[in-house]
Amino acid sequence: MRTYSFLTVLLWSCMLHEIHMMPSQKRTNKQSRSERITELLENGGKTLQRTKRGWMWNQFFLLEEYTGPDTQYVGKLHTDQDKGDGNLKYILTGDGAGSLFIIDENTGDIHAAKKLDREEKSLYVLRAKAIDRKTGRQVEPESEFIIKIHDINDNEPKFTKDMYTASIPEMSRVGTSVIQVTATDADDANYGNSAKVVYSILQGQPYFSVDPETGMIKTALPDMSRENREQYQVVIQAKDMGGQMGGLSGTTTVNITLTDVNDNPPRFPQRTYQFKSPESAPPGTPLGRIKANDPDVGENAEIEYSISNGDGSDVFDIITDKDTQEGIITVKKHLDFENKMSYTLRVEATNTHPDPRFLQLGPFKDMALIKISVEDIDEPPVFSRPWYLIEVDEDVKEGSIIGQVVAQDPDTTQNAIKYSVDRHSDLDRIFNIYSGNGSLFISKPLDREETPWHNITVIATEINNPKQSSQISVFIRILDINDHAPEFAKYYETFVCENAKVGQLIQTVSAVDKDEPPRGHKFFFELVPEFAVHPNFSVVDNKDNTAGIMTRRNGYSRSKMSTYLLPIIIFDNDYPIQSSTGTLTIRVCACDSQGNMQSCNTEALLLPAGLSTGALIAILLCIIILLLVVLFTALKRQRKKEPLIISKDDVRDNIVTYNDEGGGEEDTQAFDIGTLRNPEAREESKMRRDVIPETIFQIRQTAPLWENIDVQDFIHRRLKENDLDPAAPPYDSLATYAYEGNDSIANSLSSLESLTMEGNQDYDYLSDWGPRFKKLADMYGGEDSDGD
């Protein structure tokens, strides 16, 4: 025990500054009996005494990285229960027990079996037991103890990065901070100087310096220029042991870049530039490039070019190419060699982002002269106008001159020019031009209503050099002439009620005109002179290009007259006045008390009164069935009959003649007009005398009221009945030529009356009636008709 105490005191005296006192529960177990304290507790009148502890061990210390030939001795465990007879056995458990630390179970000596690294693990906690070999019981309670590894300087400082990157503006002042580097040492900072790091600069002087304690790198020279040198590589060393000899060290590299500032003005490499431009160069044509040099970069090198003055500042322009920082000289206006042959410009290059700190160095701009020579070329003819507008009346005569275009050669030679019309713009060849003077004339008639505008292209060509030509657009506007008469705006379906009253409006009509008078349309409506006072209807002009059709009597009868024709003259107000006659067809219809049309069909009057709707439908169905039976029978027999007309010459219709009007009622083969005057006679079944058919089917209904039907109505009904008769031949004289109708407003056109008149009659008015009467006008109104 004394030996162990001596060794412990010796170890502590060698490493006094590193010994740490253990906590109270791990103090030395061996205590002197004089320190034993007897504590009296009142517990049933018994006195309790503290039990002594027999362990002899303390906190152990061990150097790391031990490289001796033998295992490193750590310490010894011993208890006063050990009599040295080998009855006790020492057991060690805990961190590294059995692998890193080995105990002699007989003597309690502890050795380190391996080399230890404090940076890997600096503290080991173990537990010790003392067991009686015979009984296997513990003679001392299990207790913990600590083995602490003392540090040695076996780790060099290491930087947080192998390489640092930093930047600083050029022209910075001395002492400007750049970047801070940091190195760490894995050794124990609380034990000696093994972890005390000092920084120093190995490479990068005299431009930069480093703070030995903080590792902050700073500038060491003033006015470092990026244009002279942009990149710097600085090597920094970190050394432990406070930088003393024998300490370990580590290095890192710092790449420092000087960033640009605008400390250089732009400068032109030459004072004068020469350029050439053909006079035909259109506006926007680039002539050349100039560039002012600026050693700065980025926005500090951005330059703006401008023309400060010169005799061509309004003819030329300069723009800046943002990608190359060049000035591009361009044409601003058309050039004319004959007018001016050379120009001089003064161009200025200016930095767009000057730095106020360096304005004292001078203006950040530069000047240069630009001389531009204009080259003469053979130019095409030039028209006096950019385009031409010509207005011409639509009734202009063919061959009339309507306008003129003028072009001339802009060159000093003044070559002669010829003109032509581009036929692609005038496919109909309506216009032509005199090649010598450019006068345009009409080749065909014009019609504004068909084409109100014509756009043609005129070409001017130099006679001596046909390759030099130019063209111009000529817009020709056709002016309107009042050559169209107004007419009804649409077809009107007009009706008048049988119960109409005097002065009732039955229709409002309007007119349209293809012409376009400058003051707008103004139409007038009136009845034709022959019906200036019509007994049935009147026309009231509304003074707004419309007219109203009014009734002039009370009541109209469909049985007497189912349709009225009302001719109306429409005038315009332009010069010359044009007019036309439009005929309005007015039907007589049955209406209710409100004036709403119910029926305009005249056949409805023939139906017996008092028949119900069902009876009428039944009668209609019977008629349809009977007609189908008759049609089927007629078609069946028609297959057996010989054709009525054998050849082209066998035309036996006695009415279809050209020069003979027939014998009237005395013509035994014609229709007896007396039948028309005696309607009852139509019921007599009479056979045709010109054809003897095999069978004639007559399906007709008897109309009970003949006294109210006039001759015209009778003829219309007879025509309809014959049209529905399947057995009637196609040349039935009664169905075709039975009645001529009412008198014509044109009066008689017969030449028979001319025999009683002396001299020739004037038939020229027939030409005014339109193309349908042109033949009659030629036959009766010609001067040499008699001779013919």
Side-chain angles (χ1 to χ4, degrees):
M1 182 178 67
R2 292 177 181 176
T3 303
Y4 176 78
S5 299
F6 174 77
L7 292 174
T8 302
V9 173
L10 179 62
L11 182 60
W12 283 13
S13 63
C14 295
M15 297 178 292
L16 181 62
H17 64 282
E18 288 293 333
I19 294 178
H20 298 276
M21 298 302 295
M22 297 298 294
S24 59
Q25 66 270 21
K26 295 185 179 180
R27 293 196 301 265
T28 304
N29 292 333
K30 183 65 177 176
Q31 299 181 5
S32 60
R33 290 183 176 88
S34 61
E35 294 177 352
R36 299 291 185 179
I37 301 174
T38 303
E39 183 179 356
L40 300 177
L41 297 176
E42 295 182 4
N43 187 4
K46 296 182 179 179
T47 299
L48 300 179
Q49 185 178 4
R50 184 184 299 274
T51 304
K52 71 174 182 177
R53 302 181 63 184
W55 280 109
M56 295 190 319
W57 64 274
N58 205 330
Q59 177 172 286
F60 301 119
F61 295 92
L62 188 64
L63 292 177
E64 66 170 338
E65 304 293 343
Y66 174 75
T67 58
D70 300 327
T71 58
Q72 188 177 4
Y73 180 75
V74 178
K76 184 181 182 66
L77 293 179
H78 188 74
T79 177
D80 55 2
Q81 298 292 332
D82 188 357
K83 304 302 182 180
D85 54 3
N87 291 329
L88 295 181
K89 177 182 179 182
Y90 295 95
I91 299 175
L92 185 64
T93 60
D95 295 339
S99 58
L100 295 179
F101 304 102
I102 302 173
I103 189 172
D104 189 333
E105 63 180 12
N106 295 319
T107 63
D109 293 327
I110 302 173
H111 292 80
K114 297 180 180 179
K115 181 172 62 174
L116 302 177
D117 188 356
R118 188 201 67 84
E119 288 71 33
E120 181 179 349
K121 190 174 180 63
S122 61
L123 192 69
Y124 295 89
V125 179
L126 294 98
R127 293 180 296 275
K129 297 179 182 180
I131 301 174
D132 191 331
R133 291 180 182 272
K134 295 179 180 181
T135 62
R137 65 179 182 86
Q138 295 183 8
V139 298
E140 292 285 352
E142 183 182 43
S143 182
E144 291 183 354
F145 64 96
I146 296 173
I147 298 179
K148 188 173 183 181
I149 309 302
H150 276 293
D151 182 47
I152 63 172
N153 190 17
D154 59 342
N155 291 280
E156 71 276 5
K158 293 184 178 180
F159 286 92
T160 56
K161 295 181 180 179
D162 294 335
M163 181 175 293
Y164 291 84
T165 301
S167 62
I168 186 174
E170 63 175 334
M171 310 298 290
S172 296
R173 293 178 297 179
V174 176
T176 302
S177 298
V178 180
I179 192 175
Q180 184 178 17
V181 295
T182 303
T184 59
D185 196 320
D187 293 328
D188 190 357
N190 298 319
Y191 178 72
N193 294 326
S194 298
K196 187 177 181 180
V197 178
V198 174
Y199 300 95
S200 61
I201 184 169
L202 300 181
Q203 177 182 325
Q205 294 174 332
Y207 307 103
F208 300 95
S209 62
V210 63
D211 189 301
E213 295 183 359
T214 62
M216 177 63 72
I217 300 176
K218 300 180 180 180
T219 57
L221 283 181
D223 300 332
M224 287 191 294
S225 176
R226 184 200 64 84
E227 289 73 29
N228 295 332
R229 183 177 177 181
E230 183 176 4
Q231 298 288 339
Y232 294 86
Q233 190 175 73
V234 178
V235 178
I236 302 297
Q237 181 189 61
K239 190 174 183 181
D240 60 10
M241 297 297 292
Q244 300 177 4
M245 293 184 61
L248 302 179
S249 64
T251 60
T252 187
T253 301
V254 182
N255 292 323
I256 301 175
T257 302
L258 296 184
T259 58
D260 185 60
V261 297
N262 192 6
D263 58 340
N264 294 281
R267 291 289 180 263
F268 284 106
Q270 60 191 66
R271 293 289 96 187
T272 304
Y273 295 86
Q274 296 281 347
F275 295 101
K276 294 181 179 180
S277 174
E279 63 175 336
S280 61
T285 302
L287 303 181
R289 292 171 175 255
I290 61 174
K291 184 176 182 180
N293 297 325
D294 191 335
D296 296 322
V297 294
E299 68 175 14
N300 297 321
E302 291 181 0
I303 301 174
E304 187 70 29
Y305 296 90
S306 61
I307 298 177
S308 59
N309 54 39
D311 57 358
S313 58
D314 59 337
V315 181
F316 300 94
D317 196 5
I318 185 169
I319 58 177
T320 303
D321 189 335
K322 298 299 183 181
D323 296 329
T324 62
Q325 297 302 314
E326 293 177 315
I328 305 174
I329 308 297
T330 61
V331 178
K332 189 176 181 180
K333 294 183 179 180
H334 287 285
L335 303 176
D336 188 359
F337 174 82
E338 290 74 23
N339 185 25
K340 190 173 180 61
M341 295 181 291
S342 63
Y343 297 88
T344 300
L345 305 175
R346 184 179 296 274
V347 176
E348 184 179 274
T350 307
N351 275 144
T352 58
H353 298 86
D355 193 331
R357 295 177 299 171
F358 306 102
L359 293 179
Q360 70 276 6
L361 299 179
F364 279 74
K365 60 183 179 180
D366 197 12
M367 297 284 187
L369 290 178
I370 297 178
K371 295 182 178 181
I372 301 175
S373 300
V374 181
E375 297 178 342
D376 186 27
I377 63 170
D378 190 5
E379 299 176 271
V382 178
F383 285 93
S384 60
R385 301 179 187 176
W387 48 271
Y388 289 86
L389 173 63
I390 299 176
E391 294 183 344
V392 58
D393 293 333
E394 65 176 323
D395 62 345
V396 67
K397 301 295 184 181
E398 297 180 16
S400 300
I401 295 176
I402 61 173
Q404 185 181 19
V405 297
V406 178
Q408 63 179 1
D409 184 9
D411 299 320
T412 56
T413 56
Q414 294 289 317
N415 292 327
I417 296 173
K418 65 177 182 179
Y419 301 90
S420 61
V421 175
D422 185 358
R423 290 305 171 189
H424 292 90
S425 63
D426 184 25
L427 298 176
D428 296 331
R429 296 181 175 271
I430 300 177
F431 304 95
N432 212 330
I433 192 170
Y434 291 108
S435 62
N437 59 8
S439 296
L440 287 165
F441 61 91
I442 301 296
S443 299
K444 292 183 180 181
L446 302 176
D447 187 358
R448 187 204 67 83
E449 286 71 32
E450 181 180 351
T451 307
W453 284 90
H454 295 272
N455 301 333
I456 65 174
T457 301
V458 175
I459 302 174
T461 307
E462 292 184 10
I463 296 178
N464 296 334
N465 187 7
K467 294 182 179 179
Q468 294 298 331
S469 65
S470 58
Q471 58 186 21
I472 195 73
S473 295
V474 180
F475 306 100
I476 302 174
R477 181 184 179 184
I478 310 303
L479 301 179
D480 185 36
I481 298 297
N482 192 27
D483 56 347
H484 290 84
E487 56 187 13
F488 281 132
K490 64 178 182 177
Y491 174 76
Y492 294 97
E493 295 183 355
T494 307
F495 72 93
V496 61
C497 296
E498 288 183 309
N499 57 356
K501 304 298 181 181
V502 176
Q504 182 176 335
L505 176 66
I506 63 173
Q507 183 68 62
T508 299
V509 297
S510 61
V512 293
D513 195 338
K514 295 181 180 179
D515 297 320
E516 292 184 1
R519 295 185 301 274
H521 291 292
K522 182 64 178 178
F523 301 124
F524 304 94
F525 302 85
E526 64 181 35
L527 291 174
V528 295
E530 291 81 357
F531 295 98
V533 180
H534 197 279
N536 298 311
F537 305 98
S538 63
V539 176
V540 178
D541 195 331
N542 297 327
K543 307 302 182 182
D544 59 355
N545 294 338
T546 64
I549 311 300
M550 314 293 291
T551 58
R552 296 198 63 184
R553 64 186 178 89
N554 292 325
Y556 295 85
S557 176
R558 282 184 293 167
S559 60
K560 293 182 179 181
M561 184 68 70
S562 62
T563 303
Y564 293 92
L565 301 178
L566 186 64
I568 301 175
I569 301 178
I570 310 173
F571 301 90
D572 59 19
N573 68 332
D574 205 358
Y575 180 83
I577 295 177
Q578 298 287 344
S579 65
S580 66
T581 301
T583 301
L584 191 66
T585 302
I586 305 175
R587 296 186 299 164
V588 181
C589 301
C591 304
D592 57 14
S593 59
Q594 303 297 327
N596 299 320
M597 181 181 65
Q598 291 182 336
S599 174
C600 297
N601 189 1
T602 57
E603 282 72 9
L605 296 173
L606 302 178
L607 294 176
L611 292 178
S612 63
T613 304
L616 293 176
I617 295 176
I619 294 173
L620 182 60
L621 290 177
C622 293
I623 293 174
I624 293 174
I625 295 173
L626 186 59
L627 287 176
L628 292 176
V629 173
V630 173
L631 180 60
F632 177 78
T633 306
L635 292 176
K636 186 175 181 181
R637 291 189 177 188
Q638 190 174 0
R639 298 177 182 175
K640 301 178 181 180
K641 291 197 300 182
E642 294 294 330
L644 297 177
I645 300 177
I646 305 301
S647 66
K648 297 181 180 178
D649 298 330
D650 189 11
V651 179
R652 288 169 286 178
D653 188 350
N654 59 337
I655 297 302
V656 183
T657 60
Y658 295 94
N659 298 319
D660 188 7
E661 291 185 349
E665 288 78 2
E666 296 178 358
D667 187 352
T668 57
Q669 298 300 320
F671 182 78
D672 188 5
I673 195 65
T675 306
L676 300 177
R677 303 303 178 187
N678 186 13
E680 283 78 0
R682 79 184 192 96
E683 297 302 319
E684 298 177 2
S685 177
K686 294 182 179 182
M687 305 297 293
R688 292 176 59 94
R689 286 173 285 182
D690 54 348
V691 178
I692 304 177
E694 296 179 1
T695 304
I696 297 179
F697 295 91
Q698 295 183 358
I699 305 173
R700 300 173 181 171
Q701 295 182 359
T702 302
L705 301 176
W706 295 108
E707 62 275 10
N708 294 329
I709 302 178
D710 59 5
V711 176
Q712 181 180 358
D713 189 31
F714 173 76
I715 291 302
H716 285 314
R717 294 173 59 183
R718 288 287 292 172
L719 289 175
K720 187 171 183 180
E721 291 175 1
N722 282 274
D723 289 340
L724 297 177
D725 190 353
Y731 42 83
D732 186 359
S733 61
L734 174 62
T736 309
Y737 304 101
Y739 187 72
E740 288 185 345
N742 294 329
D743 293 341
S744 172
I745 61 175
N747 295 325
S748 175
L749 299 179
S750 174
S751 62
L752 298 178
E753 297 179 0
S754 64
L755 297 176
T756 62
M757 301 177 61
E758 295 182 2
N760 293 330
Q761 294 185 1
D762 185 7
Y763 295 97
D764 292 340
Y765 64 90
L766 296 177
S767 300
D768 299 334
W769 289 3
R772 297 182 179 179
F773 294 90
K774 188 175 185 306
K775 184 63 178 177
L776 292 176
D778 295 340
M779 292 175 60
Y780 295 99
E783 296 293 337
D784 55 347
S785 60
D786 296 338
D788 295 336

